[in-house]
């Protein structure tokens, strides 16, 4: 059966039906935490020397200290949820709308080190990775069939990671997911009413309140949002208003890398390296979504989704974000001290 996107007629939500995803290997289990890995694993398809086990590279960043080796590598996902050449969808019944599963699903191997997790990387290494994130985002914007891009990282079994080697994934979709469209619509309504960006105002309000703040530097503000959907959810927001992540300038890559590293290290120290998802929220073009403001959400997977969450679409968060921020600031101080000395 070919990949399809199918729409739920009741909610309007789109779902990707991708049978080939069931074939992907599952190396990571709750009893085998990814942070227990060695620097190189001979059987890992993402480790250097095993490049033939993956599809051919789309992009390779050489190691500046040893150009014959790679520092970051990008290739199509072997078990892709979407494919550039998906066959047309069959004619749909009016109550069963569907689209062909056209799009892109890429894997970005963050580092050659099997245990090179974000909070372990040096700033220059992470800056190279952020550059690749941005460059792949830009490259896929050039496909006229694409309407939205999701860039994300799954760290740990409960966050959905099936392979331990640190990697990022990117899905380029032929439509805007329902939840993203609703978020953008709220940002646009706020902009029309106030002539200001909603997230810019939120950033200033969180910084002024201080009780949910994790850190603020010249370029980024990190905080637990007022209505955190899960314990210790954290947002990293650039001070500069910018809708499209693809517009991130070369000169800004280092600041972004430092802020991402600082946030991940804070949560790793305070929560003993939890499983988490890191997700980029960004507009697809710099002009069409001028009211939007790109940002990263870090979502520690400390509690499972249960019946209420699945049945209502709402969340129950047992940890008030004000208490979460106080705990992270207290226990994460050692991480900040280390970062200051780095």
């Amino acid at each position: 059966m070919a990949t399809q996107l199918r729409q739920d007629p009741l909610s309007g939500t789109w779902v990707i039906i991708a049978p080939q995803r069931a074939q992907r290997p599952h190396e990571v289990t709750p009893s085998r935490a990814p942070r227990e890995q060695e620097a190189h694993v001979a059987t890992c398809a993402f480790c250097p020397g095993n490049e033939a086990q993956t599809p051919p590279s789309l992009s390779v960043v050489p190691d500046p200290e040893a150009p014959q080796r790679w520092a970051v590598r990008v290739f199509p996902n072997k078990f892709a949820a979407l494919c550039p050449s998906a066959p047309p969808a069959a004619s749909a019944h009016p109550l069963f709308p569907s689209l062909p599963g056209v799009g892109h699903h890429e894997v970005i191997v963050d580092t050659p080190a099997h245990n090179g997790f974000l909070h372990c990387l040096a700033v220059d290494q992470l800056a190279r990775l952020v550059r690749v994130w941005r460059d792949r985002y830009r490259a896929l914007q050039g496909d006229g069939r694409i309407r939205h891009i999701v860039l994300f990282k799954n760290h740990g079994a409960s966050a959905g990671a099936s392979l331990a080697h640190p990697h990022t994934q990117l899905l380029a979709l032929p439509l805007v997911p329902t939840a993203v469209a609703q978020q953008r619509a709220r940002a646009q309504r706020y902009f029309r009413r106030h002539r200001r960006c909603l997230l810019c105002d939120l950033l200033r309000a969180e910084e002024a309140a201080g009780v949910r703040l994790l850190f603020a530097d010249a370029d980024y503000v990190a905080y637990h949002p007022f209505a955190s959907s899960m314990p210790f959810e954290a947002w990293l927001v650039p001070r500069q208003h910018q809708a499209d992540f693809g517009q991130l300038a070369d000169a800004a890559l280092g600041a972004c890398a430092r802020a991402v590293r600082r946030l991940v290290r804070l949560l790793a120290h305070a929560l003993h390296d939890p499983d988490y998802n890191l997700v980029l929220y960004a507009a697809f073009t710099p002009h069409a979504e001028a009211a939007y403001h790109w940002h990263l959400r870090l979502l520690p997977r400390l509690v499972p989704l249960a019946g209420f969450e699945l049945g209502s679409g709402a969340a129950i968060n047992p940890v008030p974000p004000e208490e979460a921020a106080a705990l992270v600031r207290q226990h994460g101080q050692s991480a900040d001290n280390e970062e200051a000395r780095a």
Side-chain angles (χ1 to χ4, degrees), residues 105 128 164 265:
H105 189 175
R128 282 195 293 272
R265 284 170 66 86

Side-chain angles (χ1 to χ4, degrees), residues 271-310:
L271 303 176
H272 307 291
D273 191 12
D275 292 356
Y276 65 80
N277 302 103
L278 183 68
V279 185
L280 171 69
Y281 288 77
F284 185 65
T285 63
H287 306 298
E289 302 286 354
Y292 202 67
H293 191 134
W294 76 260
H295 57 288
L296 288 159
R297 292 177 67 187
L298 193 153
L299 300 156
R301 301 302 290 268
L302 303 174
V303 296
L305 295 178
F308 174 79
E309 289 85 355
L310 296 173

Side-chain angles (χ1 to χ4, degrees), residues 66 116 130 190 213 238 253 302:
V130 172
Y190 187 91
L213 196 68
L253 294 171
L302 303 174

